[in-house]
Structure formats: structure tokens, C-alpha cells
């Protein structure tokens, strides 16, 4: 049973060994925006919706706790909860990964950025949990003192859920989540004293770091009528990498959702990035840690939504494929979908989107095609950054997320990246990854090969254009991006 605690909804999916969905349930919860740029969730609502979906998924399939081999959790990363150890009550709303309230904290940490990068693989940015936790300790009356006395606990979402499900018996955070706090040394696998001192965070409130596949505890019997072992945990992107069976060094996955997240397995080496990527822990398994390079692009499927909702080009996202195909080619049009600035590898918050190369004859179909191409170009920029950082070329690219269902886009990606694209039959890789991690710990899966043999490939896409054509397209894209960056918004 996979608990998939996302940014907008809590889901539970019960899988069989082959990865077929036996039952699932989903509940949305409240997004709280107290100020411009602030985002919060009610941690108790997260808990209630998550348990509600778990109970519903069991009930609708006529299952009991005895039918569940194990629970695995995957979660929105970085979102920060602080709660009272005695009562289990959060002292403040959860501060969500998207929340920018601690931009000034992050700014103050800039002089230490080299040290932060070396230890955590991250940048000094409000995205990560550390400054969010410091904000709660600074702004909730008496919180830092109470934390020092050992009365308050910190956790990211997986930690909060495990603590609640075990009735407070387990206060743990798996490596893939711990490494997103900016407080965790990814080399030593320990909370870092220097970083905690920098943000004045009492270390006694931090959870015990644990592997991603291990027995953390059992659910209290009141929840499901009897105990279920909780044995898997990973942040959403790392769970997707695992769910896509990218177990070997050089294997990568790209998730084409609202935004785009690309993770490359770099094996037992934490590879520092010179190209705007993050170095992160993919998972800890059987006493070994696997690292990854991570790149994120803010706008992917969101560009398809933009064409649907703002430009009214079509009624549903899937139609983009037919329209783009009918264009034949994009007629030299380039779209730069930098609606909210550009993420990796450019990291420029002040760029805005642009359309280049249009003529009197440019059609809607061509703009749709050029927009889809831009999603492939952005992804290729990440792949190129990864190759530059590792000095190695990619073994394969596996894909998931809503827009990965677009065959034309996947063919464009194969062409532009000159690499084979593999799409599994199930693109539910995030929750599958959590289920695999949990299943491995209890012997439901014997080993990684057991998982791979259970996976069915739906389709592969092979490169079909020449190296010259590929270079020419990328060169056009880079001219378009550079031109966009020359036109910064005024602040
Ligand atoms: P998220 O998890 O970020 O909400 P999903 O993985 O559910 O995203 O994917 C939804 C996104 O994929 C939407 O932005 C949607 O516009 C896009 N999308 C869905 N189907 C297609 C398609 N066939 N072609 C292109 N984009 C698509």
C-alpha cells in the first residue's frame, strides 16, 4: 500500500506484485495562502486526508490490514512541520516547499553557499526545509525554547505521517527526504552541527535518519484494525526514480508533469554540479547509499495548460498531439515557456516567456508544435548539464507524468536528445517506487531484478533525425533562450 502525499492531494494506491492497481482513493486538501508568496498546509488535514484515503482504499477493495504486505510512503518534499511531542499538535501550519517567505534567510546564507553545497548538495534557497524550520522557531512564541527542552519535534511530511501512524513510536526521516532540509550532510549521512548552529536549530528536535527501505514501525491497531508494517519511504522525485527502475548508474527518469523533474542515478558518488543542478540522495538501501543529480524545469505540462486555457487552442491536453502532428514542422517557430523565469540550468527568475520566428503564415498548429518542442529542448538542457557534470553519456531515459503520454513529444525528445526513451506501461512511478521500497523490506520482492521482471515496457522511442539536424535545432533553441534573457521584466 503506497501512501502518496502530494502538494494538492493525498492518495493511497494498493498494488499487487506486478504493479497492477488493486484499489485507490484520493482526497484534495486546503491550500492556504496567508500572504503573497506564502503557502501553507494544515498538517492535521494532511494526516486526516491521508488516513481517510488509506481506509477508503482498503474498504472499497474489501481488504483488511491482513492483506497488506507493507506500507510505503512518498511525499511532497521539503514541506516542514513542527509539532508538540506530548500532544501531537502542530505548533504552526506546515510551510510548503513552494513558500518563499524565507527568501531573506536564504539571502543571509549566501556567503556560506560553498559550504552548504559541499555538505548538502543544495543551494542557499528558501525552497529547502532549513530556513522554513528556522522561521517557525523564530515566529511561534516560545518555540525555540520548547524545542531546546525537547518538547517539540521537526519533520518533513513522511516523518510526520510515520510518527502519527506509529502513535509517536518512530521519529525518523529517510535519507531522500532528510537531504532536502539543507541541514543534512549527504556525505556523512548525519545532521550537520555547523548548519544547525547557523540557523539556530536545536538538534534534539531532528528525526533519526534512516534508509528508504527498512522497518520503521507498525501502524497503531486503531487505524486499520491491526498493525501494518511501515517499511518504505522516499521523497516524490526519488520514489519516481526508483519506481522507474533506474537502479543503475547512468539511468535517468524525467517526469513530465506541471513542471519537469529529471533525476540521474550517479551510483555511489555524490557528483557536485557546475551546471545548476542539485546533488541529492536517491535512496539508502541495504547499507548502501545511491546518489542522484537533479534538475528542475518550472513549466512543462503547464505550457500545454496555457495553450488550452489562455489561448483556447484546444479543449483537452491530449489534442495538442494531433494538432502538432498536423503541422508537420514548426516552421522555424521557437517558444520559450519561461512563464515564471527559468530553472535549471539557467536559474534566471526575471526572464519571461517569448515566441520567436513568427510570420504572417504561422499557424496555431505550428505554435502548438513549437511549444511541445520547447518541453523537449528544456529537458535536453538538463540532460546536457548532467552529461557535463558526470562526463558520461546517458544509458537511457525513462519517462512518466501526464505529458509523457504524448507520443509525439516523446519522439521529439528521442530526436532532440539522441537517446532512446522508455515508457513503462504504468506511468504511476512515484507511488510504485514507494510500494517497491516497502515490498523489498518485507521480502514481497526478493531483490531489484524481481522488480524489473515485473515491469512491462509500453513503448520505446528511438532517435530518428541526424546529428546535424539535432544540433541545428538546439542551436536555434539556445538563441531563443538567450534572446529571452536579454528581455528581463522590470521589477
Ligand atoms: P502533476 O502531477 O504535476 O499535477 P501530471 O503528471 O498529472 O502533473 O500531468 C499533468 C500535466 O500534463 C498537465 O499540465 C497537462 O497539461 C499535461 N498533459 C496531460 N496529458 C497530456 C498530453 N497528452 N500531451 C501534453 N500534455 C499533457
Amino acid at each position: 500500500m503506497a501512501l502518496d502525499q502530494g502538494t494538492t492531494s493525498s492518495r493511497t494506491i494498493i498494488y499487487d506484485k506486478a504493479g497492477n492497481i488493486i484499489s485507490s482513493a484520493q482526497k484534495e486538501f486546503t491550500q492556504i495562502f496567508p500572504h503573497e508568496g506564502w503557502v501553507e498546509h494544515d498538517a492535521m488535514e494532511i494526516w486526516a486526508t491521508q488516513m481517510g484515503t488509506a481506509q477508503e482504499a482498503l474498504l472499497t477493495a474489501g481488504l483488511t490490514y491482513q492483506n497488506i504486505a507493507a506500507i510505503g510512503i512518498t511525499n511532497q518534499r521539503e514541506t516542514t512541520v513542527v509539532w508538540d511531542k506530548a500532544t501531537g499538535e502542530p505548533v504552526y501550519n506546515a510551510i510548503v516547499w513552494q513558500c518563499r517567505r524565507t527568501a531573506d534567510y536564504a539571502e543571509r546564507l549566501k556567503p556560506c553557499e560553498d559550504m552548504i553545497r559541499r555538505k548538502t548538495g543544495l543551494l542557499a534557497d528558501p525552497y529547502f526545509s532549513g530556513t522554513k524550520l528556522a522561521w517557525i522557531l523564530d515566529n511561534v512564541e516560545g518555540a525555540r525554547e520548547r524545542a531546546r527542552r525537547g518538547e517539540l519535534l521537526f519533520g518533513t511530511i513522511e516523518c510526520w505521517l510515520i510518527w502519527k501512524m506509529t502513535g509517536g513510536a518512530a521519529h525518523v526521516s529517510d535519507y531522500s527526504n532528510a537531504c532536502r532540509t539543507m541541514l543534512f550532510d549527504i556525505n556523512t549521512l548525519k545532521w550537520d552541527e555547523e548548519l544547525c548552529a547557523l540557523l539556530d536549530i536545536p538538534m534534539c528536535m531532528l528525526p533519526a535518519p534512516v534508509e528508504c527501505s527498512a522497518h520503521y514501525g507498525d501502524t497503531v491497531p486503531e487505524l486499520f484494525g491491526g498493525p501494518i508494517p511501515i517499511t518504505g519511504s522516499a521523497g516524490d522525485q526519488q520514489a519516481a526514480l526508483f519506481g522507474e527502475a533506474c537502479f543503475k548508474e547512468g539511468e535517468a527518469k524525467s517526469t513530465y508533469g506541471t513542471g519537469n523533474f529529471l533525476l540521474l542515478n550517479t551510483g555511489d558518488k555524490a557528483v557536485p554540479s557546475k551546471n545548476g543542478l542539485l546533488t541529492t540522495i536517491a535512496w539508502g538501501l541495504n547499507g548502501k547509499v545511491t546518489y542522484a543529480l537533479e534538475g528542475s524545469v518550472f513549466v512543462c505540462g503547464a505550457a500545454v495548460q496555457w495553450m488550452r486555457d489562455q489561448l483556447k487552442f484546444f479543449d483537452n491536453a491530449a489534442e495538442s498531439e494531433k494538432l502538432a502532428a498536423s503541422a508537420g514542422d514548426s516552421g522555424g517557430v521557437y517558444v520559450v515557456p519561461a512563464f515564471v523565469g527559468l530553472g535549471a540550468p539557467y536559474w534566471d527568475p526575471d526572464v519571461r516567456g517569448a515566441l520567436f520566428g513568427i510570420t504572417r503564415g504561422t499557424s496555431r498548429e505550428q505554435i502548438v508544435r513549437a511549444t511541445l518542442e520547447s518541453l523537449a529542448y528544456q529537458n535536453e538542457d538538463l540532460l546536457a548539464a548532467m552529461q557535463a557534470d558526470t562526463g558520461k553519456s546517458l544509458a537511457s531515459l525513462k519517462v512518466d507524468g501526464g505529458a509523457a503520454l504524448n507520443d509525439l513529444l516523446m519522439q521529439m525528445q528521442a530526436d532532440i536528445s539522441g537517446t532512446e526513451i522508455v515508457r513503462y506501461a504504468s506511468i504511476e512511478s512515484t507511488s510504485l517506487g514507494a510500494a517497491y521500497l516497502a515490498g523489498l523490506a518485507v521480502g514481497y520482492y526478493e531483490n531489484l531484478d524481481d522488480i524489473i521482471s515485473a515491469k512491462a515496457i509500453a513503448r520505446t522511442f528511438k532517435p530518428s533525425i541526424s546529428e546535424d539536424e539535432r544540433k541545428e535545432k538546439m542551436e536555434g533553441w539556445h538563441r531563443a533562450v538567450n534572446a529571452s534573457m536579454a528581455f528581463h521584466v522590470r521589477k
Side-chain angles (χ1 to χ4, degrees):
M1 179 155 88
L3 309 185
D4 181 358
Q5 206 303 301
T7 308
T8 56
S9 74
S10 298
R11 300 171 70 208
T12 295
I13 303 112
I14 300 174
Y15 287 105
D16 69 8
K17 192 170 177 188
N20 300 307
I21 296 176
I22 300 299
S23 174
S24 72
Q26 179 165 15
K27 271 204 184 79
E28 293 197 357
F29 55 85
T30 319
Q31 305 292 314
I32 305 164
F33 305 109
H35 295 286
E36 170 87 33
W38 290 31
V39 191
E40 297 177 359
H41 293 155
D42 175 348
M44 288 309 265
E45 194 184 356
I46 285 184
W47 162 244
T49 51
Q50 192 62 64
M51 285 309 104
T53 60
Q55 285 154 356
E56 187 184 331
L58 283 170
L59 203 66
T60 52
L63 301 172
T64 74
Y65 73 95
Q66 286 154 314
N67 302 114
I68 302 300
I71 288 179
I73 301 171
T74 180
N75 57 289
Q76 52 166 325
R77 303 177 301 175
E78 297 100 8
T79 298
T80 300
V81 190
V82 176
W83 67 94
D84 184 313
K85 191 175 169 178
T87 66
E89 284 293 322
V91 302
Y92 191 80
N93 276 337
I95 301 185
V96 178
W97 59 273
Q98 297 155 321
C99 187
R100 306 300 290 177
R101 83 182 64 191
T102 52
D104 56 333
Y105 284 64
E107 203 53 47
R108 271 182 270 148
L109 294 177
K110 282 282 171 202
C112 311
E113 195 158 62
D114 282 348
M115 182 267 286
I116 292 174
R117 212 177 227 297
R118 188 164 31 83
K119 288 184 174 179
T120 68
L122 309 174
L123 311 165
D125 194 276
Y127 176 22
F128 308 109
S129 320
T131 60
K132 299 179 196 290
L133 170 54
W135 189 95
I136 293 176
L137 297 178
D138 284 345
N139 288 277
V140 173
E141 208 183 317
R144 187 167 275 107
E145 265 321 300
R146 295 192 59 206
R148 277 208 184 95
R149 289 200 298 268
E151 293 169 20
L152 302 185
L153 299 177
F154 154 78
T156 39
I157 295 296
E158 87 299 350
C159 169
W160 164 242
L161 291 177
I162 294 171
W163 190 85
K164 292 286 283 177
M165 283 193 287
T166 58
H171 184 225
V172 296
S173 180
D174 76 82
Y175 296 156
S176 76
N177 275 295
C179 73
R180 312 295 296 188
T181 57
M182 225 180 65
L183 303 171
F184 190 72
D185 188 324
I186 60 172
N187 308 293
T188 62
L189 307 177
K190 292 197 169 79
W191 299 110
D192 186 73
E193 275 180 40
E194 188 180 5
L195 288 165
C196 290
L198 206 58
L199 287 163
D200 198 8
I201 287 164
M203 294 182 77
C204 60
M205 75 186 305
L206 304 177
V210 290
E211 291 198 345
C212 298
S213 179
H215 184 233
Y216 312 126
D218 294 332
T219 59
V220 290
E222 304 88 271
L223 284 175
F224 303 112
I228 305 177
I230 309 166
T231 58
S233 174
D236 51 12
Q237 296 309 321
Q238 290 97 328
L241 188 70
F242 202 82
E244 292 270 12
C246 294
F247 301 140
K248 295 201 197 85
E249 184 180 339
E251 292 182 330
K253 72 91 197 173
S254 182
T255 300
Y256 298 75
T258 308
N260 185 330
F261 282 91
L262 185 59
L263 266 77
L264 168 71
N265 180 328
T266 61
D268 57 7
K269 283 177 283 309
V271 177
S273 179
K274 293 195 182 66
N275 295 284
L277 307 171
L278 302 176
T279 307
T280 203
I281 294 180
W283 48 77
L285 184 66
N286 298 330
K288 276 201 348 222
V289 168
T290 297
Y291 293 91
L293 276 170
E294 173 174 321
S296 44
V297 165
F298 303 132
V299 172
C300 177
V304 179
Q305 288 169 0
W306 166 71
M307 292 192 286
R308 184 194 61 191
D309 302 338
Q310 256 61 42
L311 304 184
K312 315 262 185 241
F313 276 1
F314 40 77
D315 293 326
N316 70 64
E319 286 171 58
S320 62
E321 179 168 352
K322 221 170 50 226
L323 285 170
S326 74
D329 64 57
S330 56
V333 176
Y334 280 91
V335 174
V336 181
F339 302 151
V340 289
L342 286 171
Y346 304 102
W347 293 112
D348 187 337
D350 301 324
V351 204
R352 288 298 175 268
L355 198 55
F356 291 97
I358 51 174
T359 66
R360 176 72 178 77
T362 298
S363 65
R364 172 178 69 143
E365 288 76 5
Q366 285 173 328
I367 294 175
V368 174
R369 191 176 179 105
T371 305
L372 291 184
E373 282 176 348
S374 75
L375 310 183
Y377 293 137
Q378 293 189 113
N379 218 23
E380 170 53 20
D381 276 338
L382 297 180
L383 290 171
M386 289 179 176
Q387 284 174 19
D389 281 336
T390 58
K392 289 183 192 148
S393 59
L394 200 70
S396 77
L397 181 64
K398 297 176 183 170
V399 294
D400 58 65
L405 291 173
N406 189 312
D407 290 347
L408 180 64
L409 172 58
M410 294 303 104
Q411 186 56 51
M412 287 170 173
Q413 192 70 65
D415 289 344
I416 284 162
S417 299
T419 193
E420 186 177 273
I421 306 293
V422 175
R423 188 174 66 201
Y424 284 116
S426 169
I427 57 161
E428 282 281 350
S429 53
T430 309
S431 56
L432 260 180
Y436 291 154
L437 286 163
L440 280 168
V442 294
Y444 188 71
Y445 294 102
E446 260 178 53
N447 50 38
L448 299 180
D449 288 339
D450 201 17
I451 290 175
I452 293 171
S453 60
K455 287 190 84 71
I457 290 177
R459 195 158 164 191
T460 58
F461 300 85
K462 292 192 168 38
S464 66
I465 64 174
S466 71
E467 186 63 21
D468 283 350
E469 202 179 335
R470 183 174 110 73
K471 281 207 176 112
E472 194 185 311
K473 282 175 176 287
M474 277 314 280
E475 197 260 336
W477 161 250
H478 287 137
R479 270 190 294 136
V481 170
N482 289 331
S484 304
M485 291 203 288
F487 183 77
H488 271 179
V489 283
R490 274 184 215 283
K491 285 222 211 157

